[in-house]
Amino acid sequence: NMVMSFRVSDLQMLLGFVGRSKSGLKHELVTRALQLVQFDCSPEVFKKIKELYETRYNKKGSEAAQAPPQPRAEALPLHSSYDRGSAVPRTLPTTNIDYPALYGKYLNGLGRLPPKVAKPEVRLVKLPFYTTLDELLKPTELVPQNNEKLQESPCIFALTPRQVELIRNSRELQPGVKSVQVVLRICYTDTSSPQEDQYPPNIAVKVNHSYCSVPGYYPSNKPGVEPKRPCRPINLTHLMYLSAATNRITVTWGNYGKSYSVGLYLVRQMTSAELLQRLKTIGIKHPELCKALVKEKLRLDPDSEIATTGVRVSLICPLVKMRLSVPCRAETCAHLQCFDAVFYLQMNEKKPTWMCPVCDKPAPYDQLIIDGLLSKILTECEDADEIEYLVDGSWCPIRAEKERSCSPQCPILVLGSSDVNGLLATPNGNGENGKATADVVDLTLDSSSSEEDEEEDEEEDDDDEGPQPKRRCSYEKGLVSAC
């Protein structure tokens, strides 16, 4: 209220005191002064505002005291017109008033002046790919102004010279996209917990005189499932005035019963490579701690009837089916299996879900750890795709079964020798172990005459004194598999 009652000269003195531009019309000066009160109200600035207000108030009071008495003046309160217009008591308030919080909504046109009530504020979840540098506008509720379904909420703010310099000197992620950005975030008006970004229906964002693109819907591959919309921070930087001029942002939204809040932030956008480097710096878990975790997992449970002697862990990433390079998992995960941090961060950079590909449970960035033990194993075991952790915390590669599977399961035997008589074909076609043996088939004979030839061979064998050598000789002509 002090600032709103200032004259042009008072506004110019206040803005000059903090090094802001003093040129412009009165409404522009008021906007800059309110912006100063909202975001940069230091004790020195507040003292200056109070000093200017006291000077003007005392001057008006002295002029009124020197004026000749008017008829029936005792029946009228002093400065009655001023009091009715501003609703400010004659004496200066001595209570501790939080002016930035009190006038934030009035400045941005998002509602009327709220009462001085201490209530919890809306908080937004931290995003790994965005580092907040400044909070330009705290999460402020979108208040409908009428009963129309389509509402508009304007917001006016200006960047400080330091903020403009940060944007101009930031590197480019890609052509036209700076790493330091002014972003708009929207969420439900819920103070119970940090809120994720959520767009209202029929959303449109206009920056100064141009509309800003808002992410659209992703089509769903599953039948009967509605398409989803990725709700991310909206980059406004390329449409803003990077100067001392004020910027006007208008949010168009559908009023269908749910309450939403908007906030403006100056952020630095990170890349997956930067997050990976940070994870390698602060997120590596020591091999001994990982070994202790393995022992704890394999510790015999007295209530369990099955004793666990080992657990197998694959060295292949479940995301891309390639060998792990940076094995990681979330500390909240109950499994020892890891996934590759490189591909996991790249995947969430394009479409942030932060879900563990092994157990499908939340695996946010701040809970990721790099398994130091498995990293060491990957360097020592280059010829195996799977290992087994043992009860004592040691490990062994699983490649013996693979080698065994490459060798023939049944060796080639020479039938007819004295040590394989028991493996000769029996009339029912089975060996002594009940396994089927291979039959020798003469391809020069017809299937119709095979039975007649067998009968003739049996008659000749009955007349001959040594039938067994003849039968053995028929198998000595080649090698037959014992399978």
Side-chain angles (χ1 to χ4, degrees), residues 35-266:
Q35 175 75 21
L36 177 67
V37 171
Q38 185 180 17
F39 301 118
D40 299 324
C41 191
S42 60
E44 294 78 10
V45 174
F46 184 75
K47 183 178 179 181
K48 184 66 175 178
I49 294 174
K50 188 176 179 181
E51 178 185 341
L52 291 172
Y53 182 80
E54 287 179 340
T55 303
R56 185 182 62 81
Y57 178 77
N58 293 334
K59 185 176 181 180
K60 288 190 67 175
S62 61
E63 291 176 355
Q66 295 175 2
Q70 299 293 332
R72 302 178 63 181
E74 64 278 4
L76 298 175
L78 189 63
H79 306 298
S80 58
S81 62
Y82 173 74
D83 292 339
R84 286 196 304 270
S86 60
V88 176
R90 292 180 57 206
T91 59
L92 285 174
T94 57
T95 57
N96 185 16
I97 297 179
D98 186 4
Y99 285 96
L102 186 63
Y103 294 105
K105 292 186 178 182
Y106 180 81
L107 167 64
N108 293 284
L110 298 176
R112 297 180 179 179
L113 286 173
K116 179 62 178 178
V117 178
K119 60 179 182 179
E121 296 180 349
V122 177
R123 296 168 296 159
L124 285 132
V125 297
K126 294 183 179 180
L127 300 178
F129 287 100
Y130 294 89
T131 301
T132 302
L133 303 178
D134 285 324
E135 187 179 55
L136 304 179
L137 173 66
K138 291 183 178 181
T140 307
E141 185 178 357
L142 294 172
V143 180
Q145 303 298 322
N146 48 50
N147 295 327
E148 298 293 332
K149 292 299 181 182
L150 206 60
Q151 298 285 331
E152 284 190 357
S153 297
C155 169
I156 300 175
F157 74 100
L159 295 173
T160 64
R162 182 186 66 86
Q163 294 167 349
V164 173
E165 198 69 18
L166 283 174
I167 296 174
R168 287 178 173 173
N169 294 338
S170 63
R171 61 185 178 87
E172 289 194 355
L173 299 173
Q174 52 188 359
V177 179
K178 291 283 191 177
S179 59
V180 176
Q181 307 167 358
V182 175
V183 297
L184 176 73
R185 297 186 66 182
I186 310 177
C187 67
Y188 288 129
T189 304
D190 186 356
T191 60
S192 60
S193 61
Q195 299 296 301
E196 296 184 351
D197 293 65
Q198 185 66 47
Y199 295 159
N202 306 116
I203 181 176
V205 180
K206 187 177 182 180
V207 182
N208 295 322
H209 304 289
S210 303
Y211 281 95
C212 184
S213 60
V214 179
Y217 288 90
Y218 282 154
S220 177
N221 297 327
K222 299 179 181 179
V225 178
E226 295 183 359
K228 294 183 179 181
R229 187 173 200 169
C231 298
R232 303 178 182 178
I234 304 173
N235 184 12
L236 313 177
T237 316
H238 59 290
L239 298 177
M240 293 179 53
Y241 300 139
L242 297 181
S243 62
T246 57
N247 292 274
R248 182 181 180 89
I249 298 174
T250 304
V251 179
T252 304
W253 51 285
N255 181 24
Y256 294 96
K258 290 187 177 181
S259 179
Y260 295 86
S261 294
V262 300
L264 282 172
Y265 302 91
L266 184 71

Side-chain angles (χ1 to χ4, degrees), residues 14-15 95 178-179 217 252 262 315 331 379 389 406 436 459:
L14 175 61
L15 294 173
T95 57
K178 291 283 191 177
S179 59
Y217 288 90
T252 304
V262 300
L315 304 182
E331 285 189 306
T379 60
Y389 286 124
C406 295
E459 294 177 357

Side-chain angles (χ1 to χ4, degrees), residues 456-467 470-471:
E456 294 178 358
D457 291 339
E458 290 177 357
E459 294 177 357
E460 293 177 358
D461 292 342
D462 293 338
D463 298 336
D464 196 353
E465 295 179 357
K470 291 183 178 180
R471 181 175 296 175

Side-chain angles (χ1 to χ4, degrees), residues 327-339:
C328 80
R329 63 175 180 273
E331 285 189 306
T332 54
C333 291
H335 51 80
L336 296 175
Q337 180 64 52
C338 292
F339 48 87

